[in-house]
Amino acid sequence: NQSPLPLGSLPAVPTLPLLQALRMRAPGSPGWQVGPASGQPLRYMLNLYRRAADREGRPRRSRSLGTNTIRLVQASSHGGQPWAGRWYLQVLTYHLEGQPEAEHLLRATVVYLPSLSLAHGHLLCALELVVAGEAPRVLLSPTARPRHGWAEVDITPYLALGNSSVGSLALRHVCVRAGRAGGHDAPVAPGHPFLLLYLNDTQAGLAPPAAEPHRHQC
Amino acid sequence: DTGMLAHDLPNYLREQGGEKSDCSLHSFPVSFAQLGWNPWIIAPHRYNLRYCKGTCPHLLRYDYHAPNHAVVQSFVHQLVDANVPWPSRVPYRYSPISVLMIERSGAILYKEYENMIAESCTCR
């Protein structure tokens, strides 16, 4: 009936680099901020994944995404009450600090739904970039034809490539409800746009490459 | 005496089951749930790791891609000191897999990881 060993006395298990790398990403470990992904962002990434790899995870050479890492970043904070009559306005903030150094930014886009069908009429949306101290700047129109309704706008220049000091990005998501005003049903809020960071991971192994281990003569 | 060895080569080859057989590469489908990684790896659910097994032949011919070190070590094991281990069968070429995972920040990550599937074996 041995009392459980106090944690402090457990031998320090040398964590294997792989487990170290995975533990850094594991949910439930300290710093796990947001619940598991769900809804539209997850569906978008699952579709992207199925286009890029087969059922066993083997990359389809014919469908290369042109990079080995793509990170979907969701808005981590947004303003208060977004609706005013037909208008919807939401300020969204995306936190970008803490990107692993080994991941070099190739391209950044924001993905959103330019139009959404509603029970009565539909919603037309646009994005504005909020630059500190300047009036919001309307982003260019989508750089590619919307795929499955999703439009992707290239915002790479705004992230001041190479300037790793870009900690966060603020966008204004503006929509207007077109068509007959619906009954008294609560207005349907559009899904939040999300960022896609196309990165080149220069250390594509699982475990962060430890320096050449200095092994003593056995 | 290399003359003897060359003369004796056919026996060596017969002894090793004739032609080089890559039956050393074994399939092993593994799921990320079995590894306990499924809380944050969304896709794929499983993949075929493949691994190398079996003893290395006595004569590491050119098509094993074995480095010279392995050839010498096999001779040392046979002729000098059996405590020096026989070369082991290990993967020679690998291929990547793509993974979809969730990060602690809630970001969703698509990542291609190198060297995740063994495609062929060698002796080292």
Side-chain angles (χ1 to χ4, degrees):
Chain A
N1 180 18
Q2 183 176 345
S3 63
L5 278 174
L7 275 183
S9 68
L10 289 179
V13 178
T15 49
L16 297 174
L18 165 63
L19 292 185
Q20 207 169 355
L22 287 164
R23 198 178 57 181
M24 274 159 46
R25 291 194 168 90
S29 56
W32 177 248
Q33 296 153 356
V34 183
S38 61
Q40 289 175 336
L42 182 56
R43 278 200 300 277
Y44 186 92
M45 287 301 272
L46 279 170
N47 288 336
L48 177 145
Y49 181 81
R50 288 189 188 113
R51 290 201 305 271
D54 66 18
R55 292 178 62 83
E56 288 219 331
R58 286 177 178 268
R60 297 178 206 277
R61 281 305 151 217
S62 58
R63 301 282 191 82
S64 171
L65 295 169
T67 180
N68 58 21
T69 302
I70 300 178
R71 177 170 287 111
L72 181 147
V73 180
Q74 300 187 62
S76 47
S77 70
H78 23 83
Q81 168 50 24
W83 284 102
R86 287 176 175 272
W87 288 90
Y88 170 93
L89 172 62
Q90 187 74 274
V91 177
L92 303 168
T93 308
Y94 300 84
H95 289 296
L96 301 172
E97 61 277 331
Q99 304 291 330
E101 271 185 30
E103 294 177 354
H104 300 167
L105 183 70
L106 300 175
R107 191 158 69 96
T109 63
V110 57
V111 178
Y112 73 107
L113 291 167
S115 69
L116 198 63
S117 299
L118 301 175
H120 306 279
H122 49 279
L123 215 50
L124 298 173
C125 299
L127 287 173
E128 295 178 336
L129 186 73
V130 179
V131 183
E134 286 180 34
R137 190 186 319 174
V138 178
L139 282 183
L140 302 178
S141 59
T143 36
R145 279 180 50 76
R147 179 199 290 265
H148 307 304
W150 291 101
E152 201 170 353
V153 184
D154 194 312
I155 55 167
T156 311
Y158 302 112
L159 287 194
L161 271 179
N163 168 3
S164 56
S165 67
V166 175
S168 65
L169 184 82
L171 294 176
R172 278 190 352 157
H173 190 202
V174 186
C175 302
V176 62
R177 197 170 52 226
R180 269 182 312 106
H184 297 291
D185 47 342
V188 173
H192 290 323
F194 45 81
L195 298 192
L196 287 182
L197 304 179
Y198 293 78
L199 304 146
N200 175 34
D201 183 343
T202 53
Q203 298 164 0
L206 263 177
E212 184 65 28
H214 176 65
R215 295 203 186 290
H216 301 290
Q217 188 74 15
C218 293
Chain B
D1 173 348
T2 49
M4 280 297 292
L5 188 59
H7 170 71
D8 195 23
L9 198 51
N11 300 337
Y12 262 95
L13 296 185
R14 235 188 325 279
E15 181 187 317
Q16 296 308 315
E19 272 318 296
K20 169 181 173 306
S21 62
D22 214 354
C23 64
S24 58
L25 189 61
H26 296 254
S27 232
F28 192 82
V30 63
S31 74
F32 287 112
Q34 287 170 303
L35 299 173
W37 299 351
N38 50 314
W40 67 93
I41 290 189
I42 308 171
H45 294 307
R46 59 186 307 137
Y47 85 101
N48 187 353
L49 172 84
R50 300 173 82 178
Y51 66 93
C52 299
K53 184 179 176 183
T55 55
C56 287
H58 277 68
L59 204 58
L60 296 172
R61 300 191 317 259
Y62 67 92
D63 53 352
Y64 269 99
H65 303 291
N68 294 331
H69 174 272
V71 177
V72 175
Q73 183 167 328
S74 65
F75 278 108
V76 166
H77 173 84
Q78 293 175 84
L79 306 177
V80 180
D81 179 351
N83 291 317
V84 172
W86 195 253
S88 308
R89 243 189 223 290
V90 294
Y92 174 64
R93 254 182 337 98
Y94 294 94
S95 57
I97 70 163
S98 298
V99 173
L100 197 62
M101 59 202 301
I102 297 181
E103 292 187 303
R104 74 171 90 172
S105 63
I108 307 175
L109 192 66
Y110 165 89
K111 207 176 229 337
E112 268 185 34
Y113 280 117
E114 299 295 339
N115 309 332
M116 289 289 277
I117 299 176
E119 293 292 357
S120 61
C121 301
T122 182
C123 288
R124 280 179 177 258

